Amino acid sequence: MTRSEFPTVSDFEREFPSLCFALATGVGKTRLMGAFITYLYLAHDLRNFFVLAPNLTIYNKLIADFTPNSLKYVFKGISEFAIDPPIIVTGDNYESGVGYRFASGVKHVTGRLFGGIHINIFNISKINSEVRGGKAPRIKRLSEYIGESYFDYLAGLEDLVLLMDESHRYRASAGVRAINELRPVLGLELTATPFVETAKGGIPFKNVIFDYPLGQAMVDGFVKEPAVVTRKNFNPVGMSPEEVEKLKLEDGIRLHESIKVELETYARETGNAIVKPFVLIIARDTTHAGQILQWIQSEGFFGGQYRDKVIQVDSSQSGAQEDAMISRLLQVERTEEPTEIVIHVNMLKEGWDVTNLYTIVPLRAANARILIEQSIGRGLRLPYGKRTGVITVDRLNIVAHDKFQEIIDEANRPGSAIHLQQIILPDDVQQQKLETVVSQSALANLLGLRPTGVTTSTRVAESKDPVLFQSPEEHKIAKLAYDVIRRLEIQPQEVPSVSYLQRPEIQAFMIREVEAQYRPVQLVLEGTVEKPDVASIVAKTAELVVQQTIDIPRITVVPRGEVQSGYDPFSLDLSGFRYQAPDDELWIKHLRTGRTEELGLASGGCEESRLEDYVVAGLVDFDDVSYDAHADLLYDLAGQVVSHFLGYLKEEDAKKVLRIHQREIARAIHAQMQKHYWEKAAGYEVVIGGGFSELKPCAFTIRAGQPPMDYRQSPVDKSNMTRYLFGNFGKCLYPVQKFDSDAERRMAVILEREAVKWFKPVRGQFQIYYKWGVNHHEYLPDFVAETEDFIAMLEPKAANQMENSEVREKARVAVTWCQRATEYATGIGGKPWRYLLIPHDVIAENMTLEGLSRRYMRTLDDSGYS
């Protein structure tokens, strides 16, 4: 390793080579540890690792994460460790068997135990306490079993690698000085704060080889977006500190309740696990924490609703109380665990990794910088491992009425890694209580099925139709019949459409399947109770499914033969490329430390013979760009870029710009290339995975207790259509629906009159995907309706967006899907499919579905879209 390659490493600061990886909180330092170990083992055959934890919490977490079959196992998917998992030796078991067998096996038998690797995990705080007490650490004491101390055994290994988690917490401690004597071949440090705190400020590490700060993690979408919350028109003048505190706590809970509903709605819409959010309250001291706990458990705090949903986490508890508190804290991510509020003083630092912290209420008297640093660290992890694109799911909220402007100013100061969103609560925030409404299909309601995972904030939409089967025996048989039908969905060769369920041979099969599984609800003496008519119940169930289902085939298009891809030639938009050439020496000012560096242009980068080569070299770094396949296009694009720069720069200055900004220029060009991407195969084969599909339940967020409006009634406030639920339908396959615009509501009026049945699909119903930018997205039509003659996808769209590129791409994949569905359906005597893209301003209640179809149906032509 040379200084020029890694200028940030000026000193290992150890008696052995040691490198620090400065990674933002929440991006996966423990997983990186697992990657380090895997790489060093597979690539360099290093087999002995010593992992240091700064405290008991992280120590226990590391043991769990390195243990096979644990929830966050770091070696998940590594085939070499599936058969021969690493041996884990800890500070608790190295003397009681595992450590001794490990040591003796290695030292006295083969030098390797089973050929695998060995990971030692120890708590540095325990070693520190032993050293401070004037004693040699227990790990250094003689073991008669192996004839030396375990420490000496480790020090004698020739391939020991030291990994230090949260290394800023113990960098200069007595325990670490003792650890130096292990003489590892390599040290790897991980921390989010690569500096040692002193009375004079932070002293930065000199061995940081890789720095990934929090601000970049936010930009890249690996953590939540923090936001500071206050009230609209809030002014603390005339309010006592206690009154401000009370208002912040109450608003924090109101915000929490709305977030809880939004999270559940998102989970139900997408089929993800429901996330139970919680609130973190930061108290001044243990006395203050106790007072907050007492108030939250009182009737004066929202009628005592949170009495059993709050815990106090600090040093004021011990014994059984402390054990119970820790147990609840460790399970706070589980939906069945009741805790929704955690009050703490200063115990929750590194190592407490949760993904469901969404609201923080800081009550400590501190400046804005400390509030930000202490508040957001524990709540940045994302519950689904990545951003969802839904603001509420991806955001961490800090309720700080009295510190709002101060925090905004701190976050926006030059050099700050954090730029906070601002959330202004309305004056009527206390009226904003929300709930999740789950709307099952009419079929599920008629069969008496109930949604799963109902929570305290869930309301199931009522159906006007009574359950068809009233007795327990009939209901059980009907449910068994429906389960058989759901299995038949994915057997298109046997049941190519829902109407086939009424054929005699299918009915006979269903009856046999039900009778094989049916057991009476309670045992009865034969002849004393009339046996249910299984055949009749099966027939009625099948008839109900036919009536309440639209045939939506499960279509998968599989390429046949070799798949080719590429990019069509195009002209770049270079209007935003106005880079200016720098001087030969660049001055770099470190915003955090104030240190200044000089960077010579001649010392970095690779010298290319042609200016175009800088652009091409940047583009071929992308996985989807092959030089061999795209060379002509790449040099055409590179030529456009070079011509653009030479239009206002000298050739030498253009070279400087292309060298220094190579990566940014390549990224900008690559983004434009995505709109000109094509993919084709020798042919495509349409595979039908099912002749019809079960209607998925849908979920909506609305104000608690708000009844559905009649779909024929237009609300006064049309600009907020999504806040209303509509019902009273006669032909919709769901009891309630939401509309994004009044044009959609008018479309529902037309469908109620013109269609046989209709509904608004939810995610996953069709599984139609289109490519936009660098990603694939699911396309979801606004309506699906069946008439006597055809089935239609309907997409009302703002008139000024009809020719939008993304709208056209969605229409193209939808038309293609309808064409394939038509080919399948008409082959079995079913109805053809049509795709209608309709301007919003032509949708009126006097329109007919046939008339709209004639005018706005889209088809494919030779150009791919018409």
Side-chain angles (χ1 to χ4, degrees):
M1 187 176 79
T2 64
R3 180 70 55 83
S4 62
E5 288 180 288
F6 303 101
T8 56
V9 180
S10 60
D11 192 333
F12 288 138
E13 301 187 281
R14 306 278 185 198
E15 296 176 13
F16 51 87
S18 185
L19 300 170
C20 177
F21 291 77
L23 299 179
T25 297
V27 300
K29 289 191 288 293
T30 310
R31 289 190 179 277
L32 183 59
M33 276 191 190
F36 285 156
I37 292 171
T38 302
Y39 170 76
L40 292 172
Y41 170 53
L42 296 179
H44 299 284
D45 199 33
L46 300 181
R47 299 174 180 243
N48 292 284
F49 300 88
F50 191 88
V51 180
L52 272 182
N55 55 40
L56 183 61
T57 303
I58 297 181
Y59 169 71
N60 289 330
K61 171 185 173 294
L62 287 171
I63 293 173
D65 291 349
F66 279 99
T67 301
N69 301 319
S70 62
L71 184 62
K72 299 178 181 179
Y73 183 48
V74 297
F75 298 123
K76 191 176 295 181
I78 307 297
S79 58
E80 288 80 0
F81 296 154
I83 300 172
D84 186 12
I87 295 173
I88 306 301
V89 182
T90 73
D92 298 307
N93 69 11
Y94 76 97
E95 289 182 315
S96 60
V98 174
Y100 285 148
R101 288 196 299 273
F102 161 46
S104 64
V106 173
K107 188 174 179 64
H108 301 298
V109 184
T110 64
R112 302 287 189 212
L113 187 62
F114 306 122
I117 69 171
H118 314 98
I119 300 173
N120 301 269
I121 304 175
F122 282 75
N123 179 5
I124 190 67
S125 64
K126 190 170 185 180
I127 297 174
N128 281 338
S129 65
E130 293 169 342
V131 173
R132 284 195 299 268
K135 300 180 294 185
R138 196 178 71 180
I139 190 176
K140 283 193 167 187
R141 297 171 197 168
L142 177 67
S143 164
E144 295 180 2
Y145 191 88
I146 59 176
E148 61 184 342
S149 71
Y150 193 70
F151 187 95
D152 289 336
Y153 153 70
L154 292 172
L157 296 172
E158 297 179 354
D159 62 348
L160 185 67
V161 176
L162 179 62
L163 294 95
M164 293 161 271
D165 196 12
E166 305 291 358
S167 63
H168 66 283
R169 295 283 300 279
Y170 50 86
R171 213 164 198 257
S173 69
V176 169
R177 289 195 293 272
I179 294 297
N180 279 331
E181 299 172 25
L182 284 174
R183 299 185 297 276
V185 295
L186 176 65
L188 298 171
E189 304 181 37
L190 297 103
T191 180
T193 51
F195 51 87
V196 177
E197 286 287 0
T198 69
K200 296 182 180 180
I203 301 175
F205 290 5
K206 297 178 182 179
N207 64 339
V208 176
I209 193 169
F210 183 79
D211 186 16
Y212 190 72
L214 180 57
Q216 191 61 48
M218 291 178 183
V219 171
D220 293 342
F222 290 123
V223 294
K224 292 181 190 144
E225 284 284 359
V228 61
V229 182
T230 191
R231 271 205 175 202
K232 184 179 180 181
N233 300 318
F234 176 76
N235 189 340
V237 174
M239 297 180 67
S240 68
E242 291 76 17
E243 289 173 325
V244 173
E245 187 175 284
K246 179 179 179 182
L247 183 66
K248 288 166 65 176
L249 284 171
E250 290 179 341
D251 283 352
I253 296 303
R254 293 180 182 114
L255 182 63
H256 161 73
E257 288 296 338
S258 68
I259 291 168
K260 184 164 62 173
V261 173
E262 295 282 4
L263 286 171
E264 180 176 337
T265 300
Y266 170 79
R268 291 185 181 280
E269 285 180 337
T270 59
N272 283 299
I274 294 176
V275 173
K276 178 205 71 176
F278 75 95
V279 180
L280 179 65
I281 299 172
I282 306 173
R284 293 188 296 273
D285 49 43
T286 56
T287 301
H288 184 222
Q291 293 169 347
I292 296 170
L293 177 67
Q294 188 175 8
W295 182 45
I296 291 175
Q297 291 180 325
S298 71
E299 286 295 319
F301 191 81
F302 296 99
Q305 295 179 36
Y306 300 92
R307 181 178 293 109
D308 300 319
K309 300 179 181 181
V310 57
I311 59 173
Q312 178 181 343
V313 181
D314 55 42
S315 58
S316 64
Q317 302 180 61
S318 61
Q321 282 186 325
E322 182 182 21
D323 292 342
M325 174 263 291
I326 294 297
S327 175
R328 289 184 64 175
L329 182 64
L330 294 177
Q331 298 182 62
V332 74
E333 286 182 293
R334 299 184 180 182
T335 53
E336 69 274 11
E337 206 286 321
T339 302
E340 293 186 28
I341 303 173
V342 174
I343 308 168
H344 93 102
V345 178
N346 204 25
M347 288 183 68
L348 305 181
K349 295 184 179 180
E350 298 95 346
W352 186 58
D353 295 333
V354 291
T355 61
N356 60 330
L357 174 54
Y358 273 86
T359 307
I360 300 176
V361 185
L363 301 180
R364 296 184 67 184
N367 64 40
R369 178 173 174 270
I370 293 174
L371 275 178
I372 292 174
E373 290 179 354
Q374 291 188 344
S375 297
I376 68 173
R378 307 279 60 81
L380 289 174
R381 288 171 176 80
L382 292 161
Y384 299 112
K386 60 182 179 180
R387 294 262 182 92
T388 64
V390 178
I391 293 175
T392 309
V393 182
D394 298 337
R395 188 179 65 213
L396 171 67
N397 306 278
I398 305 170
V399 181
H401 296 358
D402 50 337
K403 298 281 186 178
F404 179 80
Q405 191 58 52
E406 190 179 336
I407 291 177
I408 290 295
D409 292 343
E410 170 65 23
N412 290 334
R413 66 175 174 79
S416 173
I418 304 164
H419 292 279
L420 297 176
Q421 300 177 38
Q422 302 177 35
I423 300 176
I424 312 296
L425 300 176
D427 292 330
D428 62 344
V429 65
Q430 63 273 13
Q431 304 299 325
Q432 297 290 319
K433 186 175 181 182
L434 304 176
E435 64 181 357
T436 297
V437 172
V438 177
S439 179
Q440 293 191 123
S441 66
L443 173 61
N445 289 323
L446 287 165
L447 290 174
L449 306 178
R450 301 295 295 170
T452 58
V454 174
T455 70
T456 55
S457 58
T458 306
R459 175 160 63 90
V460 180
E462 295 181 4
S463 173
K464 63 181 180 180
D465 299 313
V467 176
L468 185 61
F469 301 103
Q470 294 293 330
S471 77
E473 295 296 333
E474 289 181 335
H475 180 265
K476 182 173 183 178
I477 293 170
K479 186 177 183 305
L480 289 172
Y482 186 57
D483 289 341
V484 175
I485 291 171
R486 292 172 69 184
R487 295 201 301 272
L488 291 173
E489 279 184 24
I490 57 175
Q491 299 181 33
Q493 61 275 27
E494 303 294 336
V495 186
S497 79
V498 71
S499 62
Y500 277 62
L501 294 174
Q502 293 182 304
R503 293 197 170 190
E505 64 274 19
I506 302 299
Q507 293 260 314
F509 171 79
M510 292 170 58
I511 292 169
R512 289 196 301 272
E513 289 291 301
V514 170
E515 288 180 334
Q517 299 176 57
Y518 172 64
R519 300 290 183 275
V521 174
Q522 56 184 358
L523 295 176
V524 295
L525 295 175
E526 189 173 349
T528 60
V529 176
E530 184 177 352
K531 185 179 179 180
D533 187 344
V534 173
S536 174
I537 296 171
V538 167
K540 289 180 182 178
T541 303
E543 182 182 6
L544 189 62
V545 171
V546 172
Q547 292 172 353
Q548 297 293 327
T549 302
I550 294 177
D551 276 330
I552 301 175
R554 299 183 183 184
I555 297 175
T556 304
V557 180
V558 181
R560 187 172 60 246
E562 182 183 359
V563 178
Q564 298 177 324
S565 63
Y567 297 91
D568 291 322
F570 67 99
S571 296
L572 286 164
D573 179 4
L574 300 171
S575 57
F577 287 47
R578 298 298 296 181
Y579 294 104
Q580 298 301 323
D583 293 330
D584 286 345
E585 297 293 332
L586 297 180
W587 279 53
I588 301 176
K589 184 78 170 180
H590 289 244
L591 296 174
R592 180 173 56 81
T593 64
R595 189 179 68 182
T596 302
E597 291 183 42
E598 294 182 9
L599 179 64
L601 289 178
S603 65
C606 177
E607 189 77 22
E608 301 286 358
S609 59
R610 299 169 54 194
L611 295 183
E612 289 84 356
D613 291 340
Y614 290 105
V615 180
V616 173
L619 288 172
V620 296
D621 282 341
F622 291 96
D623 292 339
D624 59 341
V625 178
S626 164
Y627 178 83
D628 293 335
H630 306 122
D632 291 342
L633 172 67
L634 296 179
Y635 274 101
D636 175 62
L637 297 174
Q640 295 181 46
V641 174
V642 170
S643 296
H644 172 76
F645 285 138
L646 291 179
Y648 70 95
L649 294 171
K650 297 178 182 178
E651 183 172 347
E652 189 59 34
D653 289 341
K655 177 183 283 190
K656 292 177 183 178
V657 167
L658 289 167
R659 287 181 61 194
I660 294 172
H661 300 290
Q662 182 187 49
R663 179 175 294 181
E664 303 99 281
I665 292 170
R667 287 181 63 186
I669 297 171
H670 184 255
Q672 293 190 39
M673 290 172 64
Q674 300 311 305
K675 296 182 181 180
H676 303 276
Y677 177 82
W678 57 264
E679 187 176 280
K680 64 181 180 181
Y684 291 92
E685 180 181 356
V686 177
V687 177
I688 304 298
F692 59 99
S693 304
E694 177 188 21
L695 293 185
K696 298 176 177 293
C698 48
F700 312 105
T701 297
I702 64 167
R703 291 189 179 186
Q706 175 184 320
M709 293 182 62
D710 190 296
Y711 74 95
R712 290 163 290 219
Q713 177 185 350
S714 179
V716 176
D717 184 8
K718 297 183 181 63
S719 64
N720 286 299
M721 284 293 291
T722 56
R723 72 168 56 176
Y724 304 107
L725 267 185
F726 292 86
N728 203 27
F729 303 112
K731 298 179 180 178
C732 183
L733 297 181
Y734 289 91
V736 295
Q737 296 274 219
K738 259 194 178 185
F739 303 120
D740 291 329
S741 64
D742 199 50
E744 284 195 6
R745 183 197 62 80
R746 294 195 299 272
M747 178 60 71
V749 174
I750 296 171
L751 297 180
E752 278 288 304
R753 184 186 67 239
E754 300 279 323
V756 175
K757 44 195 167 186
W758 66 274
F759 71 101
K760 285 178 67 66
V762 298
R763 292 178 185 175
Q765 190 69 65
F766 280 89
Q767 297 182 349
I768 302 175
Y769 296 94
Y770 67 100
K771 187 173 176 63
W772 189 249
V774 296
N775 298 314
H776 284 83
H777 305 268
E778 182 182 1
Y779 171 61
L780 202 62
D782 285 332
F783 295 89
V784 174
E786 182 176 345
T787 72
E788 295 291 348
D789 302 315
F790 61 87
I791 303 173
M793 282 186 189
L794 302 103
E795 182 75 38
K797 187 60 63 179
N800 62 357
Q801 295 181 10
M802 294 289 286
E803 295 305 315
N804 175 280
S805 299
E806 186 173 6
V807 171
R808 287 173 61 85
E809 177 60 16
K810 290 178 179 178
R812 186 188 67 79
V813 296
V815 170
T816 303
W817 190 96
C818 288
Q819 184 182 60
R820 291 165 180 153
T822 296
E823 293 169 357
Y824 171 74
T826 54
I828 59 171
K831 299 175 182 178
W833 281 76
R834 299 179 184 179
Y835 181 74
L836 280 61
L837 181 61
I838 310 169
H840 80 285
D841 52 6
V842 305
I843 300 174
E845 294 184 21
N846 65 325
M847 293 286 143
T848 66
L849 198 52
E850 182 60 44
L852 290 171
S853 177
R854 283 198 304 269
R855 188 171 178 186
Y856 297 108
M857 187 175 81
R858 296 295 193 261
T859 60
L860 291 177
D861 61 13
D862 293 339
S863 64
Y865 175 81
S866 67

